[in-house]
Amino acid sequence: MKIVMAIIKPFKLEEVRDALTGIGVHGLTVTEVKGYGRQKGHTEIYRGAEYAVSFLPKLKIEVAVASDQVTKVIDAISTSAKTGQIGDGKIFVYAIDQAVRIRTGETDADAL
């Protein structure tokens, strides 16, 4: 079992969700986050004054999947979240040691 975590641009959420649903992923967690990478923020003008925006709004998506689905999930996210512009985001994959569905007590792959 793995968790695929992606940081994406907020306006790409619906496309990513539709792509994941299309490959059979039925659950995901979305968190509003702020951060920066190589982009290092940008400057904006508000009421005639220029100011620096150091942390940019992003969404963090987390999906728990069976290990054999990881490649399909990565492909779905990267294809649907890509704009070709700087700041498209990143995808990280890490292992899950154990999972438990609280309602039924199912464990590991059955809990996903």
Side-chain angles (χ1 to χ4, degrees):
M1 298 177 300
K2 305 281 184 181
I3 288 202
V4 179
M5 192 242 317
I7 307 296
I8 64 168
K9 291 182 175 184
F11 66 89
K12 286 295 200 170
L13 178 60
E14 292 302 318
E15 289 179 54
V16 171
R17 186 186 66 165
D18 292 344
L20 290 173
T21 302
I23 63 167
V25 174
H26 299 294
L28 62 101
T29 301
V30 178
T31 309
E32 292 181 4
V33 295
K34 291 184 178 191
Y36 68 90
R38 292 184 183 162
Q39 208 173 349
K40 296 189 177 58
H42 65 276
T43 58
E44 289 187 1
I45 296 176
Y46 179 71
R47 294 189 178 182
E50 188 174 305
Y51 66 98
V53 177
S54 298
F55 294 96
L56 301 171
K58 302 286 182 178
L59 292 180
K60 179 169 71 169
I61 297 173
E62 294 172 296
V63 182
V65 295
S67 296
D68 61 344
Q69 287 187 296
V70 170
T71 303
K72 288 195 309 186
V73 169
I74 290 172
D75 290 343
I77 293 171
S78 58
T79 302
S80 58
K82 184 176 182 174
T83 67
Q85 302 296 317
I86 192 166
D88 274 351
K90 297 246 184 343
I91 299 173
F92 304 96
V93 179
Y94 48 99
I96 299 175
D97 293 330
Q98 186 177 14
V100 177
R101 185 184 310 254
I102 295 172
R103 178 177 55 87
T104 62
E106 293 170 298
T107 60
D108 299 332
D110 294 332
L112 298 180

